[in-house]
Amino acid sequence: MQPRTYVVALALAALPGALAAQAAAMTAPARVAASPTPVADALRNQEQRYARILVAAAEAMPAEKYGYAPTPAQMSWQAIQTHLAEGNDFLCGKVAGVTAPTRAAVDTTAGKDKLVARLKETFAFCDSALAKVDDSKLAETMTLFGTNPYTRAATIMITVGDWADHYSQESNYLRLNGVLPPTARPRTP
């Protein structure tokens, strides 16, 4: 047998073992401390992340661009901020099973300072409301959006989805105005 044949045969013989080791490494569970409330913990982590990046996005948009909307059919930047603030109070209150604070209405034409302050207030409410949420009532139903029943688990998913949806929307608006979105900026050491 030629030396090249030996090398190829040896490589083919070792290949199944190498592939099996790689597959085992890829499917091995991550070593994460077990939590009795993994869903609630994940929600709190997402709330902290989206509070940080949505507030950073609101602060990044220049005040003179708060009336900006890419087309007349789309929400203005101001309307997005108002919608997020109202949604935070409503959805975090529902998920936590607590009454959201009564706040004076903020007009969708309010300026940057008022809208950023309101957004921060509502994320502070979410932070405190979600602090005691656990996984024991994920199957409990509640009504959202009229008389439509949703489980607490579904409401959690709707809440995080809403934050993600609006951050994506805001990222596009920022880029259309020459501003780099917070998550696209280089990390500082």
Side-chain angles (χ1 to χ4, degrees), residues 4-186:
R4 188 177 351 171
T5 306
Y6 285 121
V7 171
V8 170
L10 183 61
L12 289 175
L15 186 60
L19 290 174
Q22 183 179 10
M26 291 173 59
T27 59
R31 303 292 180 228
V32 177
S35 167
T37 60
V39 175
D41 291 346
L43 172 62
R44 283 186 284 274
N45 288 336
Q46 289 298 298
E47 183 273 330
Q48 290 174 3
R49 176 178 190 267
Y50 280 107
R52 183 176 36 80
I53 64 177
L54 284 164
V55 168
E59 292 173 336
M61 181 64 91
E64 66 274 8
K65 297 287 189 168
Y66 260 59
Y68 174 78
T71 68
Q74 291 173 291
M75 295 172 80
S76 70
W77 186 268
Q78 291 161 314
I80 296 169
Q81 304 316 304
T82 304
H83 173 75
L84 277 167
E86 291 170 350
N88 283 351
D89 281 346
F90 177 73
L91 291 169
C92 290
K94 285 288 193 174
V95 168
V98 299
T99 303
T102 303
R103 303 181 196 274
V106 174
D107 189 349
T108 59
T109 62
K112 178 178 179 173
D113 292 342
K114 274 190 175 182
L115 292 172
V116 170
R118 177 55 56 90
L119 190 60
K120 288 178 179 180
E121 287 173 2
T122 64
F123 272 116
F125 166 68
C126 285
D127 199 44
S128 66
L130 300 177
K132 294 180 182 165
V133 171
D134 62 34
D135 291 3
S136 67
K137 298 179 182 175
L138 292 175
E140 185 177 278
T141 59
M142 59 190 69
T143 57
L144 298 176
F145 319 120
T147 60
N148 299 317
Y150 290 89
T151 63
R152 186 173 314 280
T155 305
I156 287 170
M157 295 177 79
I158 289 167
T159 303
V160 175
D162 192 55
W163 291 327
D165 179 45
H166 291 300
Y167 182 72
S168 173
Q169 181 183 27
E170 288 185 353
S171 293
N172 286 317
Y173 283 32
L174 287 168
R175 286 184 184 274
L176 288 169
N177 283 282
V179 179
L180 200 58
T183 55
R185 296 178 194 148

